[in-house]
Amino acid sequence: MSTRSLYIEPHVAPRASPNCEVLVVTPLLHHLLLASAHIPARYDENGRDGALAQLLLYELEQAQALPLFAPLPHATPLANLCRAFLGQPNIHTLPDEWAQQLHCSQRTFNRLFRQQTGLSFGVWRQQACLMAAIPKLLSGSSVTQTALELGYDSPAAFSNMFRKVLGQSPSAFVREALKEDGALK
């Protein structure tokens, strides 16, 4: 598995959302991303590189967004807790544990967390666990191993959450992703 970065000038950004999004990468988009790695920073906008960039922006605009997002708060102590959690997510982490670490009541914590992230702690925690699960699953980790690493009591509980959020089971998600990846080779 590898990662590619694409830098887009803000005035031509193809997505309307101001938030970070996880996009479904179709085989065409995948190939366009690979090809864009060879485009120089100053390319001929009227030539092949310009056409490639335009098609890439169009495909990014059309790409389906997955409902995966765990925004980081602006408040430094809370942001530090969130970053640490993203490094080792566990579905059983409780908000009252974080409230104690921040020296506030659970009610104050819940209000602060929602104000800073736009999500309840429970939804944010679930999103963070899901974001950690996908790379594990795609790199060959079993559903059972992934579920247990994230603190789920059973693979069924993890699969149920996965299906509710993404509309398919973890194994179906992996099969589909690998099928699309196999079509690229």
Side-chain angles (χ1 to χ4, degrees), residues 50-87:
L52 181 67
Q54 285 301 313
L55 182 56
L56 181 58
L57 291 174
Y58 179 80
E59 288 298 312
L60 285 170
E61 180 182 35
Q62 299 303 310
Q64 175 191 357
L66 292 175
L68 300 173
F69 187 55
L72 289 175
H74 301 291
T76 303
L78 183 55
N80 290 341
L81 287 173
C82 288
R83 282 188 191 92
F85 184 86
L86 290 171

Side-chain angles (χ1 to χ4, degrees), residues 21-38:
E21 294 180 299
V22 177
L23 303 178
V24 174
V25 177
T26 63
L28 174 57
L29 182 53
H30 178 85
H31 280 294
L32 290 169
L33 290 167
L34 291 176
S36 72
H38 304 291

Side-chain angles (χ1 to χ4, degrees), residues 14-174:
R15 309 284 299 180
S17 174
N19 297 323
C20 180
E21 294 180 299
V22 177
L23 303 178
V24 174
V25 177
T26 63
L28 174 57
L29 182 53
H30 178 85
H31 280 294
L32 290 169
L33 290 167
L34 291 176
S36 72
H38 304 291
I39 296 176
R42 295 183 187 264
Y43 59 88
D44 178 7
E45 292 183 21
N46 296 316
R48 178 189 180 275
D49 290 343
L52 181 67
Q54 285 301 313
L55 182 56
L56 181 58
L57 291 174
Y58 179 80
E59 288 298 312
L60 285 170
E61 180 182 35
Q62 299 303 310
Q64 175 191 357
L66 292 175
L68 300 173
F69 187 55
L72 289 175
H74 301 291
T76 303
L78 183 55
N80 290 341
L81 287 173
C82 288
R83 282 188 191 92
F85 184 86
L86 290 171
Q88 284 191 293
N90 185 300
I91 198 65
H92 289 299
T93 299
L94 299 174
D96 63 331
E97 296 169 359
W98 286 27
Q100 288 175 358
Q101 291 181 50
L102 295 174
H103 308 289
C104 63
S105 70
Q106 186 170 343
R107 187 174 180 176
T108 299
F109 170 78
N110 288 338
R111 189 171 43 251
L112 173 68
F113 197 89
R114 186 175 294 276
Q115 179 184 43
Q116 291 282 311
T117 65
L119 302 172
S120 70
F121 178 78
V123 169
W124 186 91
R125 177 186 59 198
Q126 177 182 291
Q127 288 291 308
C129 286
L130 193 54
M131 287 171 42
I134 289 175
K136 291 176 187 290
L137 293 167
L138 292 176
S139 66
S141 181
S142 70
V143 172
T144 300
Q145 182 181 355
T146 301
L148 296 177
E149 285 178 11
L150 294 173
Y152 283 86
D153 294 329
S154 69
F158 169 73
S159 294
N160 186 38
M161 177 278 301
F162 197 100
R163 188 177 291 106
K164 279 183 183 176
V165 176
L166 294 178
Q168 57 187 338
S169 69
S171 53
F173 180 88
V174 170

